[in-house]
Amino acid sequence: MHPPDTAPILATMADPRTPFSSPIFPVGVRRLAAHPNAVLAVLVGRTGPVTVADEGGRVTGDALIVRPGISHSVSFAEGGADVLYLNGLAFPFTAPLAVAATGALAQLAAHAIGGATDAIAELRARLDLATPPLPTNMAAIVRAMEADPMVRMPQAELARRLGMERTQALRRFKAATGLTFRAFKLWSGLQHAARQIEAGVLVRTAAMDAGFADTAHLSRSFRALFGLSPSAAIAGLSHSGPTPRAGGRRPALRPGTGCRPR
């Protein structure tokens, strides 16, 4: 689906220290349409600064940490950028939209975007200030859903695993993960579909396997959460690969996860 010199659409590495994945999404275009991130996102430009903007203003920097749930557009310098999604972390700043990382934090973000699991773990730890510890039973549920998004856990099963009634279980899930149960399943399915498409699976097959009604449903959801269509994401990658780092090319997209300090 992509030339050898480009990164895949989305990839994620499992880390036994946390149930949450940290997928990295390469963006080979110059602009993303208005969209809200499902989770906290770290954007690092490849050849220049990144700008995020909403009705209240804009934030520009070489590395940005963006609040989830806020609709915003994004513009990049030539070559695009890479986006690291830190699933399960709450936004630890008071800024309404985003903050520009500087100094050591910016350097750490750049290393994490390169796919280094230790750097991702350290970045997660530094941004963990507003995130409460995840209960053991909830961690097991998240790990199961992250491991296989095709397992469409019903609400009744969530309630059974948490040992509480359905409405209470749904509230507890949102408080623990930052997403509603439905939104979490949609986001997990979208990540799964993106990896399937990158691996060469037909879009309609990836859509069905990930729980979407059809290709159009997948495309709408993809655009809504990433700011571009699956076809535009693939086309953009054919024109721009990851920024080379000292000692070689930046590793291909993959999901890393870090641990939460206790």
Side-chain angles (χ1 to χ4, degrees):
M1 292 295 293
H2 58 83
D5 292 334
T6 62
I9 295 177
L10 191 74
T12 311
M13 297 176 294
D15 186 326
R17 296 169 293 183
T18 175
F20 291 109
S21 62
S22 301
I24 307 169
F25 182 77
V27 182
V29 298
R30 295 291 301 275
R31 181 175 174 81
L32 297 180
H35 68 285
N37 292 326
V39 299
L40 185 153
V42 179
L43 286 67
V44 177
R46 293 173 179 165
T47 63
V50 177
T51 297
V52 297
D54 65 1
E55 294 180 352
R58 63 183 59 223
V59 180
T60 299
D62 292 330
L64 300 182
I65 303 169
V66 182
R67 180 186 291 274
I70 305 298
S71 183
H72 64 283
S73 60
V74 190
S75 57
F76 310 103
E78 186 70 31
D82 295 288
V83 184
L84 170 64
Y85 292 100
L86 296 175
N87 292 332
L89 283 190
F91 188 72
F93 307 101
T94 59
L97 175 60
V99 298
T102 59
L105 184 59
Q107 293 180 356
L108 180 60
H111 286 301
I113 284 287
T117 54
D118 287 347
I120 294 173
E122 184 178 348
L123 182 62
R124 291 185 69 98
R126 291 199 184 190
L127 298 177
D128 196 26
L129 301 178
T131 307
L134 200 66
T136 301
N137 57 353
M138 188 68 74
I141 291 170
V142 169
R143 198 181 298 280
M145 295 174 70
E146 286 261 7
D148 189 0
M150 292 176 64
V151 176
R152 301 176 181 90
M153 185 183 298
Q155 295 180 2
E157 175 64 12
L158 173 69
R160 187 192 68 79
R161 292 193 181 204
L162 292 179
M164 57 186 66
E165 60 92 19
R166 185 182 63 85
T167 302
Q168 184 182 8
L170 292 173
R171 286 198 299 264
R172 188 70 58 84
F173 185 89
K174 185 178 187 301
T177 67
L179 292 172
T180 66
F181 191 57
R182 181 177 181 276
F184 188 94
K185 290 196 289 185
L186 174 65
W187 177 234
S188 295
L190 196 59
Q191 294 172 74
H192 177 74
R195 291 191 292 268
Q196 291 286 92
I197 293 169
E198 186 278 326
V201 175
L202 293 176
V203 175
R204 64 175 179 271
T205 302
M208 297 298 289
D209 285 350
F212 294 92
D214 51 29
T215 302
H217 183 201
L218 170 62
S219 294
R220 288 194 303 271
S221 299
F222 197 100
R223 183 185 295 275
L225 290 179
F226 289 124
L228 76 172
S229 66
S231 59
I234 295 170
L237 293 179
S238 68
H239 294 95
S240 177
T243 302
R245 296 286 181 186
R249 189 174 76 82
R250 177 186 289 176
L253 255 221
R254 49 184 174 279
T257 53
C259 61
R260 174 180 301 159
R262 291 290 185 264

